[in-house]
Amino acid sequence: MPKHVSRRIRAKAPIAANPILRSGIVGLMVACGVAAVDLALPEAAHAQSPAQQVPATKPAPKPSGTPLPGNKPSAPAAQAGATGAQSTQEPVLLTADQVTFDEVNSVVTASGNVELAQGKRSVRADKITYNQKTKVVTATGKIRLVEPSGDIVFADYAELTDDLKDVFIENIRVLMTDNGRMAGNEGERREGRLTRVNRGVYSPCDLCKEDPTRPPLWQIRAVRIVHDNEEHEVRYRDATMEIFGIPVAYTPYLSHPDPSVDRKSGFLTPSFGNNSNLGAILKTHYYWDIAPDQDATFDLHYYSQQGPLLGGQYRKRFESGRLELEGAITRGDVANTTIVPKETRTRGYVAARGLFDIDETWRAGFDIKRASDPTFLRRYYDFREDYLTSKAFVEGFSARNYAAITGYSFQDMRYGNPISEPVALPYAQYNALGEPGSLLGGRWSFDTSLLAVSRFKNAGPDTQRVMAQPGWERNIVSNAGFVTTLSGSVLVAGYKAQQFNYNDPTVRGDDTISRFRFFPQGQATVRYPFVRYGESSSQLVEPIGQLTIAPKLPNGRLFPNEDSQDVEFDDVNLLQPNRFTGIDRLDDGMRFTYGMRGAIYGYNQGSGSLFLGQSIRLSDSSAGFSGDSGLEERVSDYVGRLDLQPADWLDVNYGFRVDHETFRPRRHSLNASTGVPLLRLSTSYTYVDQTTSRTAVTRNRVEQASFGVSSQFTDHWNIGISHTQAMEPQPGPRASLAVLTYGDECLLFQTIARRDYTISTTGEKDGNTIFFRLVFKNVGEFKSPGISAGFLGGGSTNQ
């Protein structure tokens, strides 16, 4: 006779129960995969005896006091769990409107908002039945299974064996933790780890809100999809890639890691392309997940006109640091000049980077990059930097103190430069900074360094330098509103150089010299800001005056020059004590510097500022500024900067230097953009007049501009076009670029077309290049070889 258990009745261990009913309910929980209860344990929880017995043909009456619909309590109807010392299972919660046991057919039925939960796993359905004779559980209705991994399985009908090793599901839908979706007509689980979906589809794309029945942007349709929970892999058989519902590609086999996997060994997506210098290109990559703390990637590139290239990367993490190695090797053609024919030789590059903590204060590291020749990285990896910088260092941080010992080496990547680069070893430095108010109401500082520079192939002198520079600075704000900054420093430096040339310190000579330098310097800077607060903005007008006092130095040519080769005079270094880039040349003598700053700042948005300044020498100087620096005379050129951003639709940054006598522009630097996402224009303009004489008829000028336009014409599509044009000294186009991009939550597509007009000294041309990039979320990336050389940096078009 069927027996019924009313809802919301909690299990209690001390109460005796019908053992057949108890085993049926517990078996139901076990078969649904949320519990494994040892029925032989006397300590196991038992379901409470039926409150009422009713004929099988009649529904169970609701107990008195049943809450009204919509106000049902959330207490479970029955609770079972293994509580003995021999069991490690978590408690199990069963909630249902009613539970009925058919003694004749040995069938337990839970119906009405059925929910089974254990730990992070739960099952919901309209009705779940368990047949003790066949050991089969049947779930019907709106089935919802939440796995501990976070995946959610939806179905209308499911059959399970009591050990949960075999499951059959009709109309299966799976929502993965990364928002990926998998669906099929039917599915099954084998051996408790393999979930197979027949005639299924997979896609991470969102469905159309207006018409969810429409195909997603892209999906993989396969005869069989298998999700391996042990290998954490999704595999496809006879798979077809569909975009907008249209089949575009077929493969008999495809696999990718499931959302629980951060990385996994296997072949990466290959890339294809064509280049006028390299021919047809095929790139394959294999990723090796060696261990949780290390991995490697092996690259095999084939070029029809150059042959194969082998490369790879290795990464390793330690408890106290990390290590990265990278390199490539090939045998290809190298063009020396336009006259000498090409020669075939072994080419490649190596790179290594590491950083290791010695203790809480000290750490050591290195960053090494080296190529076989200047053109290798540009040709194979689209690397466009002028130098490869290698260094090794030990550095320490303690409060406001810093110390380091570094060695530098450089490789010139410019075409046809015959001058070899120096080696700086060692470069040791120590910097300390005191607390505010610790000395005479201000803050003290102390800087010291040791530098040794060696050159080869008669490229210049070998130099050793040691320096120390104590300093002090204090800010004073008066009651009248003046803001005064007092600062001072004393530089003490010793030099020694071999193969020194008195006439030109940058050229190798025959003399060996020793020099000593003592250079005190003081500055007083006074600012008087006027501020006005309006209804929508605040305005600032700030005059600035500065007096710099220092003795006149001996002729600068008597000292080696390693760090002060060039000067770029602008608003940034106008108020600096030394306008040179280092200390081998010093800005000596007495001078007065003045300027004016005006700004407006909107409370909600928008800002604008303008600065204009000039420097006037009050005494002679032997600094030796070049004739095109703007500082060569007693009165400097005017320098300034305009920053303007009234709203998001306009952004202007303009820096300038104007001749103080003729008011002729000597330097312009403009970066500006205007517009809205639908249409935005941008420009970058550079003008430099390098003429040393103000009265010269022929000017030595460099002038170049870039122009661009972009449009975000839909939520997902945007296009950008740019062009670089040189006006002087050699007019003509330099480069053109066009990028078309589509991007949404599951797909990124780019078409990049570039025209490079550069011709190297060896006669090589980069010419026209087109790149395609197609990124499918979770599956992989398809791209033509727009190449990136790992941590080498540089201008890869894929970045």
Side-chain angles (χ1 to χ4, degrees), residues 403-705:
I405 301 177
T406 310
Y408 289 94
S409 176
F410 307 92
Q411 183 180 6
D412 197 333
M413 306 301 291
R414 294 173 295 180
Y415 296 123
N417 186 8
I419 301 177
S420 61
E421 297 302 320
V423 174
L425 180 68
Y427 175 52
Q429 60 183 125
Y430 174 74
N431 310 103
L433 189 64
E435 294 184 3
S438 59
L439 180 63
L440 302 177
R443 168 181 283 186
W444 60 267
S445 64
F446 181 75
D447 302 319
T448 183
S449 67
L450 172 67
L451 173 66
V453 177
S454 301
R455 290 181 172 85
F456 309 96
K457 299 181 181 180
N458 298 322
D462 297 335
T463 305
Q464 300 82 45
R465 184 190 74 192
V466 59
M467 61 81 65
Q469 187 175 27
W472 175 83
E473 182 178 281
R474 179 183 178 182
N475 290 321
I476 303 173
V477 180
S478 69
N479 294 332
F482 289 96
V483 180
T484 303
T485 301
L486 302 177
S487 64
S489 65
V490 177
L491 173 66
V492 180
Y495 291 84
K496 186 175 183 180
Q498 299 81 33
Q499 289 82 42
F500 185 76
N501 189 323
Y502 284 96
N503 296 323
D504 188 353
T506 63
V507 178
R508 201 175 188 91
D510 299 325
D511 297 318
T512 298
I513 65 167
S514 296
R515 295 285 184 268
F516 175 79
R517 170 175 285 170
F518 178 82
F519 183 71
Q521 189 178 46
Q523 269 192 330
T525 305
V526 180
R527 297 181 290 117
Y528 194 52
F530 297 88
V531 181
R532 178 181 179 273
Y533 297 97
E535 295 183 358
S536 60
S537 64
S538 61
Q539 299 90 44
L540 169 70
V541 176
E542 184 183 46
I544 302 173
Q546 182 185 78
L547 180 64
T548 304
I549 300 175
K552 183 179 178 180
L553 292 174
N555 192 329
R557 293 183 180 274
L558 298 177
F559 290 84
N561 186 2
E562 301 292 351
D563 60 11
S564 304
Q565 296 287 345
D566 194 14
V567 176
E568 185 173 338
F569 178 47
D570 55 19
D571 63 295
V572 176
N573 61 8
L574 172 67
L575 299 172
Q576 295 294 322
N578 186 24
R579 270 82 67 92
F580 285 102
T581 56
I583 64 169
D584 289 343
R585 293 293 181 268
L586 296 171
D587 204 349
D588 59 350
M590 183 183 300
R591 67 179 184 269
F592 176 72
T593 306
Y594 67 95
M596 177 70 73
R597 187 190 312 277
I600 181 171
Y601 303 98
Y603 295 147
N604 295 323
Q605 69 170 357
S607 64
S609 64
L610 175 65
F611 174 80
L612 183 66
Q614 186 184 40
S615 177
I616 302 174
R617 293 198 175 276
L618 304 178
S619 63
D620 293 335
S621 171
S622 61
F625 289 105
S626 61
D628 61 339
S629 65
L631 292 169
E632 66 275 10
E633 297 183 1
R634 184 178 293 272
V635 179
S636 75
D637 289 345
Y638 297 101
V639 293
R641 180 169 299 276
L642 171 66
D643 293 299
L644 184 62
Q645 190 179 21
D648 293 338
W649 53 267
L650 179 62
D651 190 353
V652 177
N653 179 271
Y654 172 55
F656 58 89
R657 178 163 66 88
V658 179
D659 190 282
H660 69 280
E661 287 188 0
T662 64
F663 295 100
R664 176 180 291 173
R666 301 298 301 271
R667 182 184 294 270
H668 291 302
S669 176
L670 172 67
N671 290 280
S673 64
T674 181
V676 295
L678 180 61
L679 180 63
R680 192 164 188 91
L681 305 176
S682 62
T683 184
S684 176
Y685 174 74
T686 301
Y687 171 88
V688 180
D689 188 347
Q690 304 175 104
T691 309
T692 58
S693 174
R694 182 178 292 108
T695 59
V697 177
T698 303
R699 314 298 296 183
N700 179 15
R701 293 178 292 204
V702 176
E703 187 176 11
Q704 183 171 293

Side-chain angles (χ1 to χ4, degrees), residues 11 83 88 176 197 255 289 342 407 476 501 522 548 552 555 648 780:
T83 58
T88 60
M176 298 181 175
V197 177
S255 69
D289 182 15
K342 296 181 179 180
I476 303 173
N501 189 323
T548 304
K552 183 179 178 180
N555 192 329
D648 293 338

Side-chain angles (χ1 to χ4, degrees), residues 34-38 41 80-92 118-119:
V34 295
V37 181
D38 188 351
L41 291 175
T83 58
Q86 300 176 4
S87 175
T88 60
Q89 298 296 326
E90 296 185 53
V92 178
Q118 181 188 37

Side-chain angles (χ1 to χ4, degrees), residues 37 41 63 98 151 264 323 325 377 389 529 557 569 573 660 686 695 761 784 789 799:
V37 181
L41 291 175
Q98 63 181 22
D151 292 347
K264 187 177 179 65
L323 171 68
L325 305 175
L377 291 175
T389 302
R557 293 183 180 274
F569 178 47
N573 61 8
H660 69 280
T686 301
T695 59
T761 55
S784 60
Q799 295 178 352

Side-chain angles (χ1 to χ4, degrees), residues 210-282:
E210 291 76 13
D211 185 7
T213 62
R214 291 175 54 186
L217 178 61
W218 70 266
Q219 63 182 5
I220 299 176
R221 187 179 298 277
V223 173
R224 178 177 298 173
I225 305 176
V226 178
H227 184 192
D228 192 328
N229 289 319
E230 289 187 2
E231 296 294 332
H232 300 287
E233 186 178 55
V234 181
R235 298 187 289 266
Y236 304 84
R237 295 288 184 180
D238 293 328
T240 302
M241 172 69 74
E242 295 182 355
I243 299 180
F244 298 109
I246 302 174
V248 296
Y250 167 81
T251 178
Y253 177 82
L254 176 68
S255 69
H256 62 82
D258 67 17
S260 65
V261 177
D262 293 328
R263 59 188 194 179
K264 187 177 179 65
S265 298
F267 284 97
L268 305 179
T269 306
S271 56
F272 310 88
N274 187 78
N275 182 276
S276 58
N277 292 323
L278 302 175
I281 303 172
L282 169 63

